[in-house]
Every structure is written in C-alpha cells, then in structure tokens.
Amino acid sequence: TVAVVWCWFFGAVFGLNFPWVTLPTLALGTWCVYVADRLLDGWRSNDTVALRDRHWFYLRHRKPFLIAWAVAAVPLAYLIFFRTLPPVRTDDIVLCLIGVAYFLLIHGRSLQHGGTRLFPNWFPKELAVGFLFAIATAVPAWARLNADRNLLIAAVLTFGSACWLNCVAIQTWEDTEAAHEVMHTILSGRHPDAKMRPRGLTEFLGRHLTAFAILVGALGIGFTVVTTSSHLYPLFTSVAISAALFLGLIWNSHRFSALTLRIAADAALLTPLIFLLRVH
C-alpha cells in the first residue's frame, strides 16, 4: 500500500500520467519481494532468537505463501515483459538486479565460512531495504521525466530516509519487546536460549530514535522551504509529517505492543494521502 501510494504521489506531483499496469506491477513486485525476504530471513536460520513474530508467521505458513508467491509471479512477469514500456522495463530490470544483489548479500551463505552470511552482521540491512523501497516507487516517474530529475533524486533520498527510519524503529521496538521477554524468562527461573546480538549501525540509531526522526524531519522541512515556490513541495512536506508522526510513536512506544507500533509505523508513511486533492 505504501509503495503504491508513493508511486502515485511521485507521478501526480510531477504531472505524469501512468498507464494502468504501473501500480499493479509495483504492488505485485513489492509483495513478492517482501514475502521472499520474510521466508529467507527465517528459513534454516541458526539464530532463532533473532526471529520475530512476522518471521514465525511466514515459516508456519510457508507452503501457502510459496504457492501464492508462484501464482503472483506469473502476472507480474507478464506485466513487466509484455505490458510495460521499454524504458520502464529497463529500469525495472536494473532495479531487479540490485534486488538480487541485496538478497545475495543479506541471505547468501558461503560454504567456505560454514554457512555464515556473505556480509558482516553489522551491515545495516534496514538502510538497504529503506532506500531500495524508495527507489522502486520512483522508477516509473524517473523513466518518464525529462526535467526535474535532480529534484526527484532529492525526493527519493528524503523518502528513503523516512523508510530507513521506519525499518530501524520497527526493529528496535521488536528487539525491545524480545529483550523484555528474555528478562521475564530469567526472572521466572528459566534459562533463555540465547542473548540478543548488537546490530551495528541499526543498534546505534535505535538508541537515538528521537534524534534520527528529528534529522529526517529536518531534511523534509529543509527541502520544503527550498521548493515552496514550486509544485514539488508536497513530496518533502509529506516526509516531514511522517517524521513528526514517528516522533509521536517513539515518545509513546512504551504504551503499545511491537505489533501495534509496526502497523502504526507503516501507516505513518501514508502521508501523501493528505495531498490527495491538492495534487489534482
């Protein structure tokens, strides 16, 4: 939903008309990537403590999800190869190759290292996910723009920062809830299976979520001020509003479960809907 809303928003703000295949293609592609990522996160994982409810859910229902993934991949392939314009198809293929590289780096296993990841544990997966997601939503607009591409790049970087914040916040809230469960296990006299492991840059940003959200908001406000005289300011204002919503979630995170916070964090990225009438 977030991918479709932002893809539409990029097109509407830049005055572009997308064919009907654009949004269904992005929706199917995003869902397929998401499902594959969830399944690979937990499939044959040796670190079960790092798995969260979302991973266990997909693992418990992996057969239906694999079938659904295969079914969804058929119309997705048809739309990309037979109904998408050549420039957009080229950009989609490039993005797909980047996505394949991501899966190899994050999920690939090296036989020489006894099944360890090809990339070190400190690598901020959340950064890669956030910016790849933002780039994917902007591909249709990028392929059709002849001017203002620099501003589109700025918008993608700003939106990507908000997506990165989203991923870091969700991971932090889930880790915090898991840590409380481990502490409860210790206090109840049982021995926990393992300890939570640090996550490098993600762990650092998780300890400074308020500052991270303020920085993202400042980035959105800064670009809003610069583009106030143009029709492009809603792109950056939306990010600034999302950052403000994240601040509210961060300050009240102790009141809600990780699942509730996860849903709210995704909903906080739907701020383009505020400009639904304005951009038309």
Side-chain angles (χ1 to χ4, degrees), residues 136-154:
T137 63
V139 165
W142 174 270
R144 291 171 174 83
L145 270 183
N146 295 319
D148 292 330
R149 278 191 165 187
N150 289 338
L151 286 172
L152 178 59
I153 292 173

Side-chain angles (χ1 to χ4, degrees), residues 16-19 21-22 84-85 87-88 91 139-147 149:
L16 303 171
N17 293 315
F18 295 148
V21 300
T22 300
T84 302
L85 293 176
V88 180
D91 290 338
V139 165
W142 174 270
R144 291 171 174 83
L145 270 183
N146 295 319
R149 278 191 165 187

Side-chain angles (χ1 to χ4, degrees), residues 31 34-35 38-39 53-63 65:
W31 187 82
Y34 182 87
V35 170
R38 288 287 77 78
L39 288 172
D53 289 343
R54 53 194 157 103
H55 303 122
W56 290 116
F57 176 81
Y58 279 87
L59 285 176
R60 284 196 301 270
H61 305 285
R62 58 183 177 272
K63 288 183 179 179
F65 273 113

Side-chain angles (χ1 to χ4, degrees), residues 5-21:
V5 166
W6 272 90
C7 181
W8 157 80
F9 197 39
F10 282 128
V13 170
F14 282 97
L16 303 171
N17 293 315
F18 295 148
W20 70 268
V21 300

Side-chain angles (χ1 to χ4, degrees), residues 29 101 111 122 138 159 179:
L111 295 176
W122 56 260
F159 174 49

Side-chain angles (χ1 to χ4, degrees), residues 23-218:
L23 298 184
T25 301
L26 182 63
L28 284 170
T30 304
W31 187 82
C32 285
V33 170
Y34 182 87
V35 170
D37 196 35
R38 288 287 77 78
L39 288 172
L40 290 172
D41 268 338
W43 213 328
R44 298 179 180 177
S45 174
N46 295 322
D47 185 13
T48 57
V49 175
L51 301 182
R52 301 291 171 255
D53 289 343
R54 53 194 157 103
H55 303 122
W56 290 116
F57 176 81
Y58 279 87
L59 285 176
R60 284 196 301 270
H61 305 285
R62 58 183 177 272
K63 288 183 179 179
F65 273 113
L66 284 172
I67 294 172
W69 190 95
V71 171
V74 174
L76 176 61
Y78 169 75
L79 290 174
I80 290 176
F81 290 105
F82 298 103
R83 300 306 300 264
T84 302
L85 293 176
V88 180
R89 185 186 307 127
T90 301
D91 290 338
D92 279 338
I93 291 174
V94 171
L95 191 63
C96 179
L97 293 176
I98 295 174
V100 170
Y102 158 79
F103 276 106
L104 290 175
L105 290 174
I106 298 296
H107 298 292
R109 299 184 179 281
S110 171
L111 295 176
Q112 307 95 289
H113 294 85
T116 59
R117 284 183 174 179
L118 296 176
F119 234 53
N121 287 324
W122 56 260
F123 177 74
K125 172 186 175 181
E126 293 74 15
L127 182 152
V129 171
F131 282 96
L132 277 175
F133 181 87
I135 292 169
T137 63
V139 165
W142 174 270
R144 291 171 174 83
L145 270 183
N146 295 319
D148 292 330
R149 278 191 165 187
N150 289 338
L151 286 172
L152 178 59
I153 292 173
V156 169
L157 290 176
T158 308
F159 174 49
S161 299
C163 294
W164 184 16
L165 170 63
N166 168 280
C167 294
V168 171
I170 289 172
Q171 188 65 59
T172 300
W173 292 328
E174 289 182 337
D175 284 353
T176 299
E177 187 171 83
H180 288 162
E181 291 175 358
V182 169
M183 182 59 66
H184 177 73
T185 300
I186 294 174
L187 292 176
S188 63
R190 291 175 291 163
H191 184 71
D193 293 331
K195 297 180 180 179
M196 298 298 298
R197 292 190 302 177
R199 312 179 98 88
L201 183 58
T202 298
E203 185 201 21
F204 173 80
L205 292 174
R207 294 198 306 267
H208 303 87
L209 271 180
T210 297
F212 191 12
I214 290 174
L215 283 175
V216 173

